[in-house]
Structure formats: structure tokens, C-alpha cells
Amino acid sequence: MLSLRLVIFPMGIRMQGPPAVNSSMTGLRAPVLFILLLTGFAAALFTRPAAAVEAAGLYRITLPVADRSPETRDAAFQQALGQVLIKVSGNSQVVAQPPVQEAMKNSANYVQQFAYHETQPTSGAVGAAAADAPSGKLDLQVRFDPVAIDRLLSSNGLPLWGRERPLVILWIGVSRGNGRRFILGSESDSPHPAASQAVEQAARIRGLPIFLPLMDLQDQSAVRFSDLSGGFMGPVLQASARYDANAVLAGAVRPSGGQWRGQWQLEFRNQRQEWGSDGASEAQALAGGIGGAADRLAAMLAVSGLPSGGRRQVVFVRIDGVQQVAAFARIEHLLDKLAPVKSAQLVSADSGELVFRVVPRGQADDVARNLGLIKWLQSMQAATVAQPVGNSAKTLYFRYNP
């Protein structure tokens, strides 16, 4: 397992401070508890990160605009809202839904703040000549209200994909004809910046955390372009074992009949899915692979609608092996921000075992799928543990394994 790698976080990673600790957890004095929490979280920052990452920037969009007029700004708001809803829902078709179409007519209602950013032109013209020099680039940076966006999706039964998202390793081959073909790697002096930038931009648009393999001698001997173009996942999965990732995306793009075509395979939780992508350019075919992966991962992990009848089913989450206050704070923080969780309340803490009463936003299975993504929580079968007496609600069992 590698201890270092170049990771592309298109939307960034947000580190938040420790949440308040339930007073029923411990009788420690506040100063001692605060020191323990700081120690635990400081240690977490310098240990190997969990494969799933918390994606920030999901509610922010930057768009180029022609001017600062209200008409241009309103049109940009509408475009930006559509992009944010695709990122947050994980569904590229969400903008076609009638509730979203209606909301986009009043997109300004969802804007929390906005600002213009102008890049000055590089022309050295001065005086009268400056009037004929090209103007600078003007961008509009928009941040939407997360609560309002989440409410728009959930209240209309549309999917909501949380901030905790799979980290995907990409094995991408590109053929440009005449024997010119390569596999993208993470080296800083990549000889193929256009393809790398296209992949990174596509991941940023979809809010998908990705990284490229090193493509050092070990990777070069393990994975060949023919493996990617032929759809042979065996060598790819073996080569991916040295990296810390949740999912593996492999594919190849090439020109075909005046277009660009890509063939893709996604391996996630021992499930494999295949699809193709088409585009007028190499970048579009690459984006089709990234977007297809985001659609499929979100379909498995996003919060679904309420069960039939519209009533939320309470679920209990039992976690064993919690021996430190910092571990408790880490778990409480996770449940507080996990998208499928509407609310979580600690109901018991005894001998290293925590039990939370969780109210899902959608269905209990949404909670189970997303907690199963957390690498430091080991899922346990119900048959191996004792069922709480008198508890008819569904219980999910995990062991804390940092």
C-alpha cells in the first residue's frame, strides 16, 4: 500500500472541527475532554485518509459571463442552479424534472451569495491603444443555499447524494491514431495536459473525487493500453490494490468515424457496470466516462424517496469497539453530516458500544449503503451479534476499526 499519491480533488476536501459531545457519553471535565478531542482529530489529520472523502464545493459554481448586467446575471443564476442540482443529486437528468424546471424560473431565490471576479488582460497596451486591447475575462462566482437546495430535492422525491463520496481511481487510455496512445498518469509533468485537464474538469462538474495512478514502472508493467481498450479488468484491479480507493473506473477513448468514442467499466463493491460514451471531441468522450461513473455511483448511494405511505422508518445504528472520546466524536460528526441521516441521537454508551437512534431522510437502506462506504466502520452481520431485547426496529451493526 502506498503512503503517498497525487490525488485530484476537483471540489476540494473540507475539514471541520469536532462537534459538541453528548454529556451522557462521559463524566470527564470539559477542559480534559476538549484536549482529548483535539488530540484525536489532530492525529486523524496525519494518518492515512479513509478512502471515501468529504466533498466540498458542491454548492458553488463559477461561470464566465459577458457583463455585469442583471439580465446576464439572472441567466447565469439559472445555468448555475442546474449545474449545482446535478452535482448534489448525482443525476445528470435531474434538470428535466418538472419541480426543478419550475425552481429554475426563480433561481435567484436559491442564491446565498455571489461575486464577480475579473482577470485583467495581459496586453501591454497603454493610453489610447488600451481602448483597442482585448478586455479581461469576467467570471461570476455563485454560492447556493445548501439547506434550500437539499429541501428542493428531498421534498420532491428527487435523489440527494451526500458529501461523503467514493474516491475513484482512473485508468484511462487515449488513442489519437497513427500509433499515438497513452495511459493517463498523475505525474506533475504530464505530457498530456489536455486530456488530464478534461478529466479533472469533468470530475469537478459532477462533484466526483478522483485520482490517477502513478504510472511508474510497476503500473506500466501491470496495465497496458490493450487491457483498457479490450475491457480486461483483471490486470486493472490487481494494479489498483496498491492504491487506497473505493471504486475503479477503467476505459479507453479513440477517434471513430469523425467522432470520439469511449468504452468504460466501473468496479464498485464487487459490482461491475459497463457503458459507452460519444462526443465530437476527445474531451467530450472523456467527460462521458466520468459522468457515467457519477450517475452509477449516485444511483447506488444517493438518498432515495420515502417508503410507501410517506412515513420514515427509525433505524438503530450499533457500533462496537469505541474506546476513546475522540472516536465517539468522529462517529457523531459522521452521522451529523451523512446525507441519508435526518437526525441521530445517542441512546446508550456502555463498555465501548454506542447505539444511535437514526431517523433517515428516505429509507433505512440508504443509511446502510452510505455507512458501508466508510472504511473505518466494519459492517457486521446481525447473526454474529445479539439483537437488542424488545427492539422491533431495524438495527445496523458495525465495529469501529480506525
Side-chain angles (χ1 to χ4, degrees):
M1 183 73 67
L2 290 179
S3 59
L4 293 174
R5 65 170 184 266
L6 176 62
V7 181
I8 303 174
F9 294 124
M11 71 301 292
I13 303 301
R14 182 179 62 213
M15 291 293 183
Q16 293 180 329
V21 177
N22 193 316
S23 59
S24 63
M25 175 64 187
T26 177
L28 290 176
R29 295 179 182 272
V32 177
L33 177 60
F34 182 71
I35 292 173
L36 284 174
L37 288 176
L38 283 182
T39 302
F41 275 92
L45 291 177
F46 292 98
T47 56
R48 180 176 57 84
V53 296
E54 185 182 353
L58 296 179
Y59 300 86
R60 296 195 301 267
I61 294 290
T62 299
L63 292 174
V65 290
D67 53 56
R68 300 173 185 256
S69 68
E71 295 78 12
T72 299
R73 184 183 64 228
D74 290 343
F77 281 169
Q78 185 172 356
Q79 182 182 353
L81 177 59
Q83 292 186 16
V84 159
L85 289 170
I86 290 174
K87 278 202 295 185
V88 176
S89 70
N91 188 334
S92 59
Q93 304 302 316
V94 72
V95 293
Q97 297 296 321
V100 173
Q101 289 286 310
E102 188 65 27
M104 291 179 68
K105 297 176 182 178
N106 302 288
S107 54
N109 293 341
Y110 297 89
V111 174
Q112 193 172 70
Q113 63 183 28
F114 68 91
Y116 290 97
H117 177 75
E118 186 171 6
T119 303
Q120 296 299 322
T122 57
S123 172
V126 294
D132 298 324
S135 59
K137 178 185 176 185
L138 183 63
D139 289 331
L140 178 62
Q141 301 170 341
V142 188
R143 175 177 172 82
F144 290 89
D145 182 357
V147 175
I149 294 295
D150 291 356
R151 185 186 301 118
L152 170 62
L153 293 170
S154 59
S155 64
N156 289 286
L158 299 173
L160 177 64
W161 194 11
R163 295 174 178 85
E164 198 78 20
R165 300 192 171 188
L167 179 59
V168 185
I169 183 171
L170 308 180
W171 298 87
I172 299 178
V174 178
S175 173
R176 291 175 173 167
N178 298 323
R180 297 177 300 161
R181 58 187 193 180
F182 55 88
I183 299 176
L184 288 179
S186 64
E187 60 271 23
S188 59
D189 58 341
S190 171
H192 311 289
S196 298
Q197 290 169 10
V199 167
E200 182 178 353
Q201 180 180 8
R204 184 186 303 112
I205 289 173
R206 295 306 305 272
L208 187 65
I210 62 168
F211 72 100
L212 296 167
L214 295 173
M215 289 313 297
D216 54 10
L217 292 178
Q218 182 174 339
D219 286 341
Q220 292 175 35
S221 63
V223 178
R224 294 177 170 82
F225 182 90
S226 57
D227 296 323
L228 302 177
S229 61
F232 301 112
M233 285 293 285
V236 174
L237 295 178
Q238 292 180 10
S240 300
R242 68 190 291 222
Y243 297 98
D244 191 12
N246 284 108
V248 178
L249 175 63
V253 299
R254 64 182 69 200
S256 175
Q259 297 284 309
W260 281 79
R261 300 187 183 276
Q263 291 295 325
W264 305 92
Q265 293 189 78
L266 175 70
E267 184 87 11
F268 179 62
R269 292 182 177 171
N270 299 317
Q271 298 182 35
R272 187 173 302 172
Q273 300 187 56
E274 302 181 13
W275 69 97
S277 65
D278 298 287
S281 65
E282 175 185 295
Q284 290 180 4
L286 290 169
I290 302 299
D295 282 338
R296 287 159 177 79
L297 289 170
M300 290 184 277
L301 297 171
V303 178
S304 54
L306 288 174
S308 58
R311 298 185 62 183
R312 289 186 172 89
Q313 175 189 1
V314 173
V315 60
F316 287 88
V317 177
R318 172 177 163 178
I319 304 174
D320 296 329
V322 183
Q323 302 296 335
Q324 297 180 343
V325 176
F328 162 74
R330 187 183 192 188
I331 293 167
E332 191 179 52
H333 175 59
L334 170 68
L335 293 174
D336 179 64
K337 66 181 176 58
L338 205 65
V341 175
K342 179 177 177 63
S343 65
Q345 179 184 9
L346 180 69
V347 296
S348 69
D350 183 40
S351 301
E353 175 189 283
L354 305 179
V355 178
F356 291 87
R357 181 183 185 274
V358 173
V359 178
R361 293 185 185 274
Q363 304 185 34
D365 289 344
D366 298 330
V367 179
R369 287 198 308 270
N370 280 265
L371 286 177
L373 181 65
I374 309 304
K375 200 159 191 178
W376 42 268
L377 290 180
Q378 177 185 352
S379 179
M380 301 172 62
Q381 296 297 325
T384 65
V385 293
Q387 179 74 16
V389 178
N391 177 24
S392 59
K394 184 173 184 177
T395 303
L396 307 176
Y397 299 91
F398 296 90
R399 178 174 295 278
Y400 181 68
N401 185 24

